Amino acid sequence: MFKRTWLKGLLLALLLPAVARADEGMWLPLLVKRLNHADMQKKGLKLTAEEIYDVNNASLKDAIVQLGGFCTGEFVSKQGLLLTNHHCGYDAIQSHSTTQNNILQNGFYAQTRSEEKANPGLFVDILVRMEDVSGKVLEGITPQTPEAERNALVQKRQREMAEAAKENGQYVAYVRDMFAGNEFYLFVYQRFGDVRLVGAPAESVGKFGGDTDNWMWPRHTADFSLFRIYASKDNKPTKGFAADNVPYIPKHHLPVSLQGVSENDFSMVFGFPGRTQRFLPAAGLQLTLDQTNPARIKLRDTRLKLWKEDGDQDPAVRLKYASKYANIANYWKYFIGQNEGMKRLKTVDQKTAEEAALAQWIAQDPARGQQYGQALNDINQAYAGMRQYNLSSVYLSEAALGTEVLAFASRLMPLYQQLKAESPDQAAIRKTADGLKESAEDFFKDYNPATDQKVFAALMQLYYNDVAKEQQPEIFQTVQKQYGGSMQKYAAEVFSKSFLVSKAKTEQFLQKPTLLQLENDPAFRMMNSIVKNFQENIQPKMQAHQAGLARANRLYVAALREKNTQKVYSPDANSTIRLSYGSVRSYQGRDAVRYSYFTTAQGVLEKEDATNPEFVVPPKQLELLRAKDYGRFADKDGTLHTGFITDNDITGGNSGSPVINGRGELIGLAFDGNWEAMTGDLAYDPELKRCINADIRYVLWCVEKLGGAKHLVDEMTIVNNGPNPGPVAAGAAPAAADGKATKVKIKTKKKKGEAAPATL
């Protein structure tokens, strides 16, 4: 019956017109031709579906990369020049900075290829192809298949398909589930390991507004950085830096438009959105609202305040913690906004009403009742049980692993298991210890023990105060008995005696690791106690409650899609390549407050405050802006536009994504979402959700006029084609571009032996 239901849903999707809202959805490029292309044309798209995604020929997909597994980038020249956000390049920029040559603070542009800076460990993935493999993964599986057997079969088939697609290491490949395990898709990528930093503005430009402006509109942030991808002389991927590597020649790079945008212009965002949970049931939303987010906010706020306190007192500490602070602060504010938004928009109430309607629909048909009848009840029971242990899970990740020395200690757990084995494998121990040397090098580069000691004491105290006593690790009893319950005293003991807070002592231990020394280290002893407690007392109970949740979620999502046949759903984001489309749009944030769709450089001058580090404007930038020296990057209204907003559907991971007009030209860089729609990962609000973008003309102005790196702009393909395609009037066919407008031609080259794109 499951198979028949799945097939029925598939046939309905094939036969029904695509009526999903264009502004909601992170769509798989493979399916754009069938599901979205006609709607995109009505909004102003001039490209064919094949020019967006084609497995045999060059297309837009070939200009898009996943950067490091956490951000998006796009090629903007035929010499492998890559554009992404400043906050995506932040760690790389910081890693090349010293107190003597602080390029994070001062900015940097390579004047020659030899000045471009290598970044070991950083990589980009470029999509080769994707394929719907749902039928192959689910073959022979029925509703009667036991869940454990189903899971084993699915996982085995996913591994086998991915392994076969790698072609002996030539590609990176994986199979990801969609719609809670109702569909499966294979993704095949080329991975390039030689990624070099080319340029970035000063932090005061690339992070203008800091935490105050984060997740807010209006924005005036030049959130960009430049990298270059290098390859072997035959244009193939390499695993890392090599002196004889040459700039990669992409199959396609994005031409850059200087035309600018107008309200209602077509916009498309291509990238790798990280994670959404729009199918999360009401019980899951309530748990997030009540427990998970408040705990995350509290623990991150504590950590950030202590880091800032020490960073304000010592520039060297600030530099060490700059990237870590930015990463933690970003989602600290996000969790605050998400909770406020859930309350304001009554997200839980809306989901509860949706589930009530679904339950009524299920009850109307005995066959539906047999298939889906238990799903909602199983979901609610699972979350009720998980609620008892949820805080323990959050405090493990945000408090224990939020303390740097404990997080580092957790990396030694595999070595610990090898050392305490009945018959220790010395070769394996040596290999693990050698691997940890590199990890230690990276850890100590940006570590300040005195700061971490304060964080340790504060977070462990909160752990002790907030988590149920019966769920706490045994080490907390030691703190109570031997240190009078003072985490301050215990922290002083740990940091005075642990070899894990000293690079030299850690390296000495790794030269000849012993079980006795590791077990006696107070930092490791604490982490080991926390991990042991979680594995023995928390995890089994969480898993027991979660046991039926995957099946219940799968049936719940299948039922929703079967009930709402008039809606074409897009799958939740899961770090796979997606496309969203919409329009440039202003919005009303609240009563009597309406936001324009663009910002200008005047806003930089209005926000400028030399006494506030978040709003410092460099002297040269002040001089250029006051003189209105905008050059060729000025808008037709004579101002320099710094940013604009669209209703494109994005989330974390889309950072650095290109914003593309109807002709396939780059018009901006997506870098943020707006405060009023912070619930977007859980529930989409078409009236409020906006994608915040840096105007590409401001980016180029910062490179050429402010940064003095005109040679990088000259390397790009610059176009000025006339009006950006806007929406087509209702009932009209998509209009051809006017005489001044030229659709971007994407050069195609047929490759031998490649299959045509798979379809449903």
Side-chain angles (χ1 to χ4, degrees), residues 634-671:
D635 189 75
K636 53 185 174 293
D637 63 10
T639 66
L640 178 62
H641 286 208
T642 54
F644 63 94
I645 50 175
T646 66
D647 59 15
N648 289 93
D649 194 359
I650 66 161
T651 189
N654 271 124
S655 291
S657 289
V659 188
I660 302 169
N661 68 16
R663 292 185 294 266
E665 302 159 351
L666 183 65
I667 54 175
L669 282 182
F671 72 91

Side-chain angles (χ1 to χ4, degrees), residues 344-387:
R344 183 178 67 254
L345 300 175
K346 301 187 183 302
T347 306
V348 177
D349 292 345
Q350 291 179 27
K351 186 69 74 167
T352 300
E354 180 185 82
E355 290 174 12
L358 181 65
Q360 186 178 19
W361 174 81
I362 292 171
Q364 290 171 353
D365 185 297
R368 294 200 292 255
Q370 183 181 357
Q371 179 69 17
Y372 305 123
Q374 279 296 114
L376 288 171
N377 183 59
D378 289 347
I379 285 170
N380 291 331
Q381 284 189 358
Y383 277 105
M386 289 160 56
R387 178 176 285 267

Side-chain angles (χ1 to χ4, degrees), residues 32-47:
V32 161
K33 183 174 184 177
R34 180 169 62 78
L35 294 181
N36 314 106
H37 191 247
D39 199 21
M40 294 168 76
Q41 287 180 306
K42 290 175 184 177
K43 281 186 168 286
L45 177 70
K46 302 301 179 185
L47 302 180

Side-chain angles (χ1 to χ4, degrees), residues 190 192 230-238 244-249:
Q190 281 189 308
F192 293 77
Y230 280 75
S232 64
K233 290 181 180 179
D234 57 355
N235 212 39
K236 300 294 184 183
T238 63
D244 60 348
N245 281 351
V246 296
Y248 172 66
I249 302 172

Side-chain angles (χ1 to χ4, degrees), residues 522-593:
F524 182 81
R525 189 163 61 244
M526 183 162 204
M527 192 63 208
N528 192 31
S529 179
I530 292 171
V531 170
K532 181 180 179 183
N533 173 66
F534 184 80
Q535 291 177 337
E536 294 179 358
N537 301 323
I538 309 301
Q539 192 174 38
K541 292 165 185 169
M542 287 286 284
Q543 288 176 338
H545 292 298
Q546 292 170 336
L549 190 57
R551 179 179 184 276
N553 280 334
R554 187 171 69 247
L555 294 174
Y556 164 60
V557 173
L560 272 178
R561 296 175 75 196
E562 187 177 337
K563 173 181 179 291
N564 301 317
T565 53
Q566 80 287 355
K567 178 175 182 177
V568 180
Y569 287 92
S570 66
D572 269 324
N574 57 1
S575 292
T576 55
I577 192 166
R578 303 295 179 90
L579 176 154
S580 75
Y581 61 99
S583 306
V584 176
R585 282 180 66 192
S586 56
Y587 74 103
Q588 185 163 332
R590 56 188 183 277
D591 184 46
V593 177

Side-chain angles (χ1 to χ4, degrees), residues 100-108 200-203:
Q100 295 77 30
N101 182 27
N102 193 336
I103 67 171
L104 181 65
Q105 179 178 309
N106 302 324
F108 161 78
E203 184 178 23

